[in-house]
Amino acid sequence: MSAPAQFQAILAKLQAEIPAFWLNDRLGQPLPADAPSTDLIADAEARMASCAPLLAELFPELNATGGNIESALMPAHKLKAALSRDGTGDTSAWFIKRDDALPVAGSIKARGGFHEVLAVAEQIALTRGLISPDDDRRRLNTPAVRAVFAQYTVAVGSTGNLGLSIGVMAAALGFDTVVHMSADAKAWKKDRLRKRGVRVVEHVGDYAEAVAGGRAQALALPHSHFVDDERSALLFFGYAASARHLAAQLKDAGRQVDAQHPLFVYLPCGVGGAPGGITYGLKALFGEHVHCVFAEPVASPCMLVQLASHSDSPVSVYDIGLDNKTDADGLAVGEASHLVAPLMASQLSGVFTVSDDALFLNLRVLKSSLGVLVEPSAAAGIGGPQWISDSPEGRAYVRQHALDMNQATHVIWSTGGSLVPPEELQAFHDHADELARRGQTALLTS
Ligand SMILES: *Cc1c(COP(=O)(O)O)cnc(C)c1O
């Protein structure tokens, strides 16, 4: 593989699984000519708004919010105080975006997953003449429509959280629902789905094999829709629809975003759909004033290798000798989304990698400073502000863009955890306590 010098320079670190920060040298270039229209972001927002009453009807836990699927933007100055060096006088503001607590699905996958299932349900109902475009979407939850949905199969391949999101929503609408899961998916996720009447098919092998197996089986069925995490635009725009609400939350918190007030957003990345969609949405609103950085496990930096290689064909973490084995099961993806990677090539500021030990130490500091309990994947972004302020790459980025970091807002996107059973959460924290006892504290190891 011939690759840019920048990739060669970071390759040895990646192969040794040493945490690293790669800056995207193509940031700011034009989007590809075939990039999807940003009008699709507004479409997704409108769809989620028109389906809110339906969601409130389907899920009692959404009554309080009128069916709105959104999460809090939580001030995180205590986390900042716990992680920052004293005496730097840095006046930036830190927040945690609490998608770990998104209702019904308990992870960021609620955004993309619910949007895709609702879009598919609408499409079927419209083509079969069961609803008209302006009808109240609660009509999708009537016996005649549900009887039609029961003839259709909705299928997905997943390491876990996407399966939970798609499975719960599709089953609630009455679809025949199949979730293909990889060997590393957690038992409690499979159990939860089976209890809701979802068929769970287990695949030996990794995430990509579960997706490929699911795709092949779904294509063989007459009335079926396969939610394709490696290339779905409906998932992507479901995530992108989060941007406008975040912008309103920042405004309410008194945070400006413009040339003098940069916004940094740190997003855990698996296949890239969720963080990529959010980046696309935020870039459409804030342009060059938002700086999006992905976080990936040291064993699974699939977006990093795809983008850093500048290759138009797929590059996987296996190609550089990594094993894609991580406790961050939501991020254990070897090859980035074919839809998302080309879009991120000009939008993403960079990617940093995180060791599994650091994920657990992050979990621990999140709990001790803010009382927030998350799953390991969700803790990947926490080192982001430090990479910007304390690493040579981060400082170079700040200089190059002439940013006033004292006016910066840092948003660390937390992506999953509220449905994890208490005994599993306890096991994460026991492990983190053990690491801390052994004297491991550094969040950034270099
Ligand atoms: C899926 C997931 C991500 C990343 O989303 P991708 O679309 O796979 O990049 C991050 N955190 C959690 C908890 C997830 O489940």
Side-chain angles (χ1 to χ4, degrees), residues 107-109 159 161-162 189 207 229 239 268-276 330-331 333 375 377-378 415-417:
S107 82
I108 194 167
K109 300 295 193 315
T159 58
N161 285 340
L162 183 65
K189 293 182 182 172
Y207 156 87
D229 201 15
Y239 296 118
C269 177
V271 73
L331 312 181
V333 178
E375 59 186 277
S377 298
T415 50

Side-chain angles (χ1 to χ4, degrees), residues 277-297:
I278 291 169
T279 297
Y280 209 64
L282 289 171
K283 282 285 178 187
L285 291 182
F286 296 122
E288 61 182 0
H289 308 314
V290 62
H291 306 270
C292 297
V293 179
F294 288 1
E296 301 193 297

Side-chain angles (χ1 to χ4, degrees), residues 11 33 55 61 90 99 111 114 133 256 263 284 289 311 341 351 358:
L11 199 54
L55 294 179
E61 61 264 53
D90 158 24
D99 277 11
R111 299 184 182 279
F114 291 4
Q256 268 171 270
L263 170 63
H289 308 314
S311 174
V351 182

Side-chain angles (χ1 to χ4, degrees), residues 178-265:
V178 188
V179 175
H180 298 267
M181 283 196 164
S182 47
D184 46 5
K186 297 274 189 290
W188 69 266
K189 293 182 182 172
K190 298 174 191 168
D191 293 344
R192 197 177 169 95
L193 285 169
R194 288 189 174 118
K195 281 199 191 103
R196 302 217 179 201
V198 173
R199 294 191 279 136
V200 176
V201 181
E202 297 182 47
H203 291 259
V204 287
D206 75 352
Y207 156 87
E209 288 167 81
V211 173
R215 192 189 287 126
Q217 285 190 25
L219 284 174
L221 294 170
H223 286 312
S224 77
H225 177 81
F226 182 66
V227 177
D228 201 327
D229 201 15
E230 289 178 330
R231 58 196 82 195
S232 164
L234 286 171
L235 285 178
F236 186 77
F237 285 102
Y239 296 118
S242 63
R244 198 173 303 281
H245 188 250
L246 177 67
Q249 288 177 314
L250 288 168
K251 198 157 179 238
D252 288 347
R255 302 305 300 178
Q256 268 171 270
V257 182
D258 54 32
Q260 283 74 46
H261 304 83
L263 170 63
F264 278 80
V265 183

